């Protein structure tokens, strides 16, 4: 039985944001993220090809940061998900992120990074 909480909203936000980043429904990707298969998945391999990356360094960083937040929002344990208020504060903040270029970052690295 699914218990509806505020954490469901943040999960829904994460799914929609992830769909925007990868350009298709993320069901298969979410399944992979729940397993150890994501260790080998590079961010560059899942991003929508229509995203204009590498034209501007800030855009790259913003995309990586959004995917980082998305991975926190869709965490398999609802208690480990941030609140929507925390997500909105992070999106409004100016956090220096990441240090590596987007094409060198794995989904596992983003999953493991602390919020």
């Amino acid at each position: 039985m699914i218990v509806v909480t505020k954490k469901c909203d943040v999960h829904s936000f994460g799914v929609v944001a992830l769909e925007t980043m990868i350009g298709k429904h993320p069901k298969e990707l979410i399944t992979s993220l729940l397993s150890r298969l994501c260790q080998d998945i590079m961010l560059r391999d899942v991003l929508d090809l229509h995203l204009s990356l590498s034209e501007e360094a800030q855009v790259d960083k913003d995309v990586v940061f959004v995917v980082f937040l998305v991975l926190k929002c869709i965490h398999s344990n609802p208690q480990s998900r941030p609140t929507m208020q925390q997500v909105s504060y992070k999106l409004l903040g100016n956090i220096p992120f990441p240090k590596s270029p987007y094409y060198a970052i794995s989904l596992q690295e983003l999953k493991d990074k602390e919020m």
Side-chain angles (χ1 to χ4, degrees), residues 88-110:
S88 66
Y89 286 153
K90 292 289 185 183
L91 288 170
L92 292 172
N94 188 9
I95 299 170
F97 187 87
K99 292 187 167 98
S100 303
Y102 81 93
Y103 53 81
I105 298 172
S106 72
L107 294 182
Q108 187 66 47
E109 288 176 67
L110 294 178

Side-chain angles (χ1 to χ4, degrees), residues 39-55:
Q39 290 178 330
D40 299 328
I41 302 173
M42 298 301 290
L43 177 59
R44 68 174 179 264
D45 295 332
V46 297
L47 290 175
D48 187 341
L49 297 175
H50 293 97
L51 291 174
S52 298
L53 298 177
S54 78
E55 291 178 10

Side-chain angles (χ1 to χ4, degrees), residues 74-88:
I74 63 171
H75 194 283
S76 59
N77 179 356
Q79 300 308 316
S80 297
R81 296 175 193 155
T83 63
M84 277 309 300
Q85 184 175 30
Q86 290 170 316
V87 171
S88 66

